[in-house]
Amino acid sequence: MYLGLDLGTSAVKTCILGPGGEVLATTSAPLAVSHPFEGASEQDCAAWWSAVSAAVRALDPGLRAGLRAIGLSGQMHGAVLLDGDLRPVRPVILWNDARATADCAEMEAAEPAVGQLSGVPPMAGFTAPKLRWLSRHEPEAHARIAHVLLPKDYIGLRLHGACVTDPSDAAGTSWFDQAARRWSPRLCEISATDPAWLPAVRHGIEIAGHLLPAAAEELGLPPGLPVAAGAGDAAAGAVGIGAVADGDGFISLGTSGQLFVTTDSYRPNPESRIHAYAHTLPGHWFQMAAMLNGARPIAWLAGLLGRPIEALLAEAEAAEPGPIFLPYLTGERTPHGDTEIRGGFSRLGETTTQGALMRAVVEAVAFSFADAIAALSAAGPVPDRLLAIGGGTRSDFLMQTIADVTGCSLGRSDGADVGPALGAARLACVAAGDRAIAEVMTKPAVRRWFTPDATRAAALKPRLAGYRALYPALRNVQSAIG
């Protein structure tokens, strides 16, 4: 059996994979995010480790005792800054943090080829611009840095004691030469980064280290287990759903959203703001449209209204179309590359119901995938059948709306909401030497296909146009108020 650990933004999730490739157990432990100022998003490494411990300890002891290996997945781009004693220098700056916007423009000015080298122009959520920001705004913290890790790799450090990452997580830093699959001295130079701070890079199916006795005791696991290098959450999701051959694609509906297509070569297209990144597997890359908000606005509105998500979604499906919503609660990457834009409702009236508000939010999530399809189409062909992973796949209404808007058939399988944790467990299985990639990284049986409905698509077309008009309108509003 194999343990997958996925360090998400809102929770740590675990998955135990059985000898036949079946999911035997899952657990989760919640995480909180702090926002010390507008546009800032941070978490505490200690809270991560506590959540990992809680989630692993919640697994059946008999299953834990039978494990053969551990694999890792996690939120990408976060800046985990450690001193010479491997202690955190400051809280982790997360993927949806917007403070380094000006630093991105300055990196592009210093090196116009940055997008071709790193797969996409630098964006504020990436790791490298954060280091440049720190050098100017927190020079004392910057001076103490001895190591920089990505979030899942900090968990790896706690497990096995080494500073190791994989190509897919390295890809999201703006330090990685995607074509050569190595750290770029030039990209480090323009972002106030010492290349010596960066971890070793190993493919996700390689062993990064072995479980230390102290960590094993804390987690209730057998000591000495091999720990696979793992993958960033997008690539781990691809492994979990079997999207590992050229042309395989899927969408991810988690806190953030992704439209992901595996490629057999490096295909950058910086102008489209599509991420062209190295995969965690040797000889593979991927193209990805990355949306900062994913299915998160659905949970946001339910929390704001103090209502259960399921009840609001039922009301939304029955509600007449009314308001239009822009879902950019934390800015947006694809297609706008705009960290400052924020969300908003349009066309509110006295008869607007809570269900109508949620319907607008569901439509907006779907519309963001329509924009993703359009952007990815500029960089290459997009499959017309996509698998889907993430917590948002539990909603039939959301899945059908995305299918109608994008014209793509979406497949949902059992355990689709397990996502990256399953991919991490699969990487562990291969790293342990028990099975080959082709045996492990298979596609799941699709339990239901959501196929586009022409009538619903036609009804949504003018609303999509309104959604696309709302972005420049709210951008003007934001510019006016500063």
Side-chain angles (χ1 to χ4, degrees):
M1 294 181 290
Y2 312 91
L3 173 63
L5 294 175
D6 175 36
L7 171 61
T9 311
S10 58
V12 168
K13 297 180 180 179
T14 74
C15 167
I16 290 187
L17 189 69
E22 69 279 17
V23 175
L24 298 180
T26 62
T27 62
S28 66
L31 292 168
V33 178
S34 65
H35 304 283
F37 55 87
E38 175 63 28
S41 188
E42 298 183 348
Q43 284 181 323
D44 179 10
C45 288
W48 287 351
W49 183 249
S50 295
V52 167
S53 180
V56 172
R57 283 280 184 179
L59 291 164
D60 180 86
L63 294 178
R64 284 186 267 139
L67 291 174
R68 288 265 300 156
I70 302 170
L72 303 174
S73 170
Q75 50 173 293
M76 296 174 66
H77 313 302
V80 183
L81 311 174
L82 307 177
D83 64 17
D85 296 318
L86 299 175
R87 294 176 301 195
V89 168
R90 68 175 318 285
V92 181
I93 307 176
L94 300 185
W95 57 273
N96 53 355
D97 189 284
R99 73 186 73 188
T101 299
D103 298 271
C104 296
E106 290 161 7
M107 287 176 63
E108 281 199 84
E111 178 50 76
V114 61
Q116 284 289 332
L117 271 172
S118 67
V120 70
M123 300 182 187
F126 296 173
T127 327
K130 295 166 184 162
L131 271 287
R132 196 178 191 283
W133 184 92
L134 281 165
S135 71
R136 297 187 297 124
H137 296 276
E138 297 183 12
E140 300 85 359
H142 189 270
R144 293 175 55 206
I145 298 171
H147 304 276
V148 182
L149 292 177
L150 284 306
K152 80 168 191 323
D153 304 319
Y154 176 77
I155 301 305
L157 173 67
R158 295 293 298 263
L159 293 173
H160 54 65
C163 293
V164 177
T165 192
D166 82 289
S168 69
D169 235 352
T173 61
S174 282
W175 289 315
F176 204 58
D177 182 329
Q178 308 290 347
R181 298 172 88 96
R182 63 171 179 257
W183 301 119
S184 164
R186 177 58 177 156
L187 296 178
C188 290
E189 179 185 0
I190 63 173
S191 56
T193 302
D194 184 342
W197 297 343
L198 304 182
V201 181
R202 297 180 188 170
H203 288 109
I205 53 174
E206 295 183 84
I207 295 173
H210 292 81
L211 185 61
L212 298 169
E217 183 176 359
E218 189 168 351
L219 300 178
L221 298 176
L225 290 174
V227 181
D233 56 4
V239 169
I241 207 161
V244 295
D246 184 51
D248 287 344
F250 71 95
I251 68 167
S252 175
L253 287 164
T255 302
S256 60
Q258 291 96 30
L259 169 62
F260 183 112
V261 178
T262 299
T263 61
D264 59 6
S265 60
Y266 177 48
R267 304 173 190 174
N269 189 338
E271 295 76 19
S272 69
R273 296 200 173 271
I274 291 295
H275 301 35
Y277 282 171
H279 210 309
T280 194
L281 301 175
H284 291 72
W285 285 260
F286 61 89
Q287 293 179 315
M288 180 176 71
M291 290 75 76
L292 292 180
N293 300 280
R296 165 61 186 160
I298 293 174
W300 166 81
L301 181 63
L304 199 65
L305 298 177
R307 299 278 310 281
I309 291 177
E310 295 77 10
L312 273 172
L313 285 173
E315 292 178 18
E317 191 166 6
E320 289 295 319
I324 293 175
F325 179 61
L326 198 70
Y328 304 154
L329 301 177
T330 54
E332 189 54 296
R333 285 193 195 159
T334 306
H336 304 302
D338 188 342
T339 59
E340 296 178 351
I341 189 64
R342 291 297 180 266
F345 284 98
S346 176
R347 302 182 73 241
L348 297 177
E350 288 192 358
T351 60
T352 299
T353 64
Q354 293 184 358
L357 292 176
M358 181 58 86
R359 185 182 188 95
V361 170
V362 168
E363 289 180 353
V365 174
F367 294 154
S368 72
F369 278 93
D371 280 350
I373 292 278
L376 198 59
S377 296
V382 180
D384 59 6
R385 288 165 68 87
L386 296 164
L387 299 180
I389 65 171
T393 60
R394 289 190 289 263
S395 170
D396 291 359
F397 180 40
L398 176 59
M399 292 282 282
Q400 185 62 54
T401 305
I402 295 173
D404 294 338
V405 168
T406 62
C408 291
S409 295
L410 301 181
R412 181 173 64 198
S413 60
D414 289 343
D417 56 343
V418 178
L422 173 57
R426 286 180 161 190
L427 292 169
C429 178
V430 175
D434 293 340
R435 296 172 70 189
I437 290 175
E439 294 178 82
V440 176
M441 297 176 193
T442 56
K443 294 179 176 62
V446 173
R447 301 305 180 193
R448 178 172 175 182
W449 282 102
F450 294 83
T451 57
D453 180 279
T455 301
R456 285 191 290 256
L460 286 164
K461 188 174 181 179
R463 295 183 62 75
L464 174 58
Y467 167 85
R468 287 173 168 164
L470 191 54
Y471 168 71
L474 289 185
R475 170 108 298 283
N476 289 337
V477 170
Q478 193 138 326
S479 297
I481 63 178

